[in-house]
PDB file of all heavy atoms in Angstrom:
ATOM      1  N   ARG A 673       9.063   2.942  26.590  1.00 63.00           N
ATOM      2  CA  ARG A 673      10.192   3.363  25.757  1.00 63.00           C
ATOM      3  C   ARG A 673       9.929   3.006  24.295  1.00 63.00           C
ATOM      4  O   ARG A 673      10.157   3.814  23.390  1.00 63.00           O
ATOM      5  CB  ARG A 673      11.469   2.695  26.253  1.00 63.00           C
ATOM      6  CG  ARG A 673      12.707   3.113  25.496  1.00 63.00           C
ATOM      7  CD  ARG A 673      13.948   2.534  26.195  1.00 63.00           C
ATOM      8  NE  ARG A 673      15.124   2.910  25.462  1.00 63.00           N
ATOM      9  CZ  ARG A 673      15.687   2.175  24.510  1.00 63.00           C
ATOM     10  NH1 ARG A 673      15.171   1.006  24.191  1.00 63.00           N
ATOM     11  NH2 ARG A 673      16.768   2.580  23.895  1.00 63.00           N
ATOM     12  N   LEU A 674       9.411   1.811  24.039  1.00 63.00           N
ATOM     13  CA  LEU A 674       9.100   1.388  22.676  1.00 63.00           C
ATOM     14  C   LEU A 674       8.057   2.306  22.048  1.00 63.00           C
ATOM     15  O   LEU A 674       8.191   2.711  20.897  1.00 63.00           O
ATOM     16  CB  LEU A 674       8.616  -0.056  22.662  1.00 63.00           C
ATOM     17  CG  LEU A 674       8.218  -0.616  21.296  1.00 63.00           C
ATOM     18  CD1 LEU A 674       9.399  -0.586  20.334  1.00 63.00           C
ATOM     19  CD2 LEU A 674       7.676  -2.016  21.451  1.00 63.00           C
ATOM     20  N   LEU A 675       7.023   2.648  22.799  1.00 65.00           N
ATOM     21  CA  LEU A 675       6.001   3.560  22.274  1.00 65.00           C
ATOM     22  C   LEU A 675       6.600   4.924  21.957  1.00 65.00           C
ATOM     23  O   LEU A 675       6.290   5.518  20.927  1.00 65.00           O
ATOM     24  CB  LEU A 675       4.850   3.710  23.269  1.00 65.00           C
ATOM     25  CG  LEU A 675       3.930   2.507  23.404  1.00 65.00           C
ATOM     26  CD1 LEU A 675       2.919   2.737  24.522  1.00 65.00           C
ATOM     27  CD2 LEU A 675       3.226   2.184  22.116  1.00 65.00           C
ATOM     28  N   LEU A 676       7.464   5.410  22.820  1.00 67.00           N
ATOM     29  CA  LEU A 676       8.104   6.701  22.592  1.00 67.00           C
ATOM     30  C   LEU A 676       8.964   6.672  21.331  1.00 67.00           C
ATOM     31  O   LEU A 676       8.878   7.553  20.475  1.00 67.00           O
ATOM     32  CB  LEU A 676       8.953   7.101  23.797  1.00 67.00           C
ATOM     33  CG  LEU A 676       9.743   8.395  23.662  1.00 67.00           C
ATOM     34  CD1 LEU A 676       8.793   9.577  23.502  1.00 67.00           C
ATOM     35  CD2 LEU A 676      10.643   8.586  24.851  1.00 67.00           C
ATOM     36  N   ILE A 677       9.771   5.640  21.190  1.00 69.00           N
ATOM     37  CA  ILE A 677      10.651   5.519  20.020  1.00 69.00           C
ATOM     38  C   ILE A 677       9.823   5.401  18.744  1.00 69.00           C
ATOM     39  O   ILE A 677      10.100   6.047  17.746  1.00 69.00           O
ATOM     40  CB  ILE A 677      11.598   4.311  20.180  1.00 69.00           C
ATOM     41  CG1 ILE A 677      12.623   4.611  21.288  1.00 69.00           C
ATOM     42  CG2 ILE A 677      12.304   3.975  18.875  1.00 69.00           C
ATOM     43  CD1 ILE A 677      13.417   3.410  21.728  1.00 69.00           C
ATOM     44  N   THR A 678       8.782   4.574  18.778  1.00 69.00           N
ATOM     45  CA  THR A 678       7.930   4.399  17.605  1.00 69.00           C
ATOM     46  C   THR A 678       7.221   5.695  17.253  1.00 69.00           C
ATOM     47  O   THR A 678       7.114   6.056  16.081  1.00 69.00           O
ATOM     48  CB  THR A 678       6.909   3.268  17.849  1.00 69.00           C
ATOM     49  OG1 THR A 678       7.614   2.077  18.205  1.00 69.00           O
ATOM     50  CG2 THR A 678       6.068   3.003  16.619  1.00 69.00           C
ATOM     51  N   SER A 679       6.732   6.397  18.257  1.00 71.00           N
ATOM     52  CA  SER A 679       6.066   7.686  18.020  1.00 71.00           C
ATOM     53  C   SER A 679       6.989   8.658  17.314  1.00 71.00           C
ATOM     54  O   SER A 679       6.616   9.292  16.329  1.00 71.00           O
ATOM     55  CB  SER A 679       5.620   8.321  19.344  1.00 71.00           C
ATOM     56  OG  SER A 679       4.653   7.558  19.973  1.00 71.00           O
ATOM     57  N   ARG A 680       8.187   8.779  17.823  1.00 72.00           N
ATOM     58  CA  ARG A 680       9.140   9.714  17.222  1.00 72.00           C
ATOM     59  C   ARG A 680       9.531   9.296  15.815  1.00 72.00           C
ATOM     60  O   ARG A 680       9.671  10.127  14.929  1.00 72.00           O
ATOM     61  CB  ARG A 680      10.364   9.852  18.106  1.00 72.00           C
ATOM     62  CG  ARG A 680      10.028  10.600  19.376  1.00 72.00           C
ATOM     63  CD  ARG A 680      11.236  10.997  20.124  1.00 72.00           C
ATOM     64  NE  ARG A 680      10.813  11.720  21.321  1.00 72.00           N
ATOM     65  CZ  ARG A 680      11.624  12.110  22.248  1.00 72.00           C
ATOM     66  NH1 ARG A 680      12.917  11.871  22.144  1.00 72.00           N
ATOM     67  NH2 ARG A 680      11.169  12.749  23.302  1.00 72.00           N
ATOM     68  N   ALA A 681       9.702   8.001  15.595  1.00 74.00           N
ATOM     69  CA  ALA A 681      10.064   7.515  14.264  1.00 74.00           C
ATOM     70  C   ALA A 681       8.964   7.819  13.249  1.00 74.00           C
ATOM     71  O   ALA A 681       9.246   8.083  12.083  1.00 74.00           O
ATOM     72  CB  ALA A 681      10.336   6.009  14.304  1.00 74.00           C
ATOM     73  N   ARG A 682       7.726   7.812  13.703  1.00 76.00           N
ATOM     74  CA  ARG A 682       6.599   8.115  12.812  1.00 76.00           C
ATOM     75  C   ARG A 682       6.296   9.611  12.744  1.00 76.00           C
ATOM     76  O   ARG A 682       5.377  10.021  12.060  1.00 76.00           O
ATOM     77  CB  ARG A 682       5.342   7.391  13.292  1.00 76.00           C
ATOM     78  CG  ARG A 682       5.399   5.902  13.145  1.00 76.00           C
ATOM     79  CD  ARG A 682       4.079   5.317  13.581  1.00 76.00           C
ATOM     80  NE  ARG A 682       4.112   3.865  13.565  1.00 76.00           N
ATOM     81  CZ  ARG A 682       3.123   3.117  14.013  1.00 76.00           C
ATOM     82  NH1 ARG A 682       2.029   3.667  14.491  1.00 76.00           N
ATOM     83  NH2 ARG A 682       3.215   1.802  13.970  1.00 76.00           N
ATOM     84  N   GLY A 683       7.057  10.417  13.510  1.00 76.00           N
ATOM     85  CA  GLY A 683       6.826  11.850  13.519  1.00 76.00           C
ATOM     86  C   GLY A 683       5.596  12.243  14.319  1.00 76.00           C
ATOM     87  O   GLY A 683       4.995  13.288  14.069  1.00 76.00           O
ATOM     88  N   LEU A 684       5.209  11.429  15.288  1.00 73.00           N
ATOM     89  CA  LEU A 684       4.019  11.695  16.098  1.00 73.00           C
ATOM     90  C   LEU A 684       4.400  12.335  17.423  1.00 73.00           C
ATOM     91  O   LEU A 684       5.491  12.122  17.941  1.00 73.00           O
ATOM     92  CB  LEU A 684       3.266  10.384  16.370  1.00 73.00           C
ATOM     93  CG  LEU A 684       2.833   9.589  15.148  1.00 73.00           C
ATOM     94  CD1 LEU A 684       2.288   8.234  15.573  1.00 73.00           C
ATOM     95  CD2 LEU A 684       1.787  10.359  14.358  1.00 73.00           C
ATOM     96  N   ASP A 685       3.493  13.099  17.985  1.00 72.00           N
ATOM     97  CA  ASP A 685       3.672  13.695  19.305  1.00 72.00           C
ATOM     98  C   ASP A 685       3.174  12.702  20.346  1.00 72.00           C
ATOM     99  O   ASP A 685       1.987  12.360  20.357  1.00 72.00           O
ATOM    100  CB  ASP A 685       2.898  15.008  19.389  1.00 72.00           C
ATOM    101  CG  ASP A 685       2.949  15.631  20.781  1.00 72.00           C
ATOM    102  OD1 ASP A 685       3.849  15.275  21.565  1.00 72.00           O
ATOM    103  OD2 ASP A 685       2.078  16.474  21.072  1.00 72.00           O
TER     104      ASP A 685
END
Side-chain angles (χ1 to χ4, degrees):
R673 183 172 179 267
L674 178 60
L675 288 174
L676 177 63
I677 290 168
T678 304
S679 295
R680 290 192 179 174
R682 292 183 185 174
L684 303 172
D685 175 19

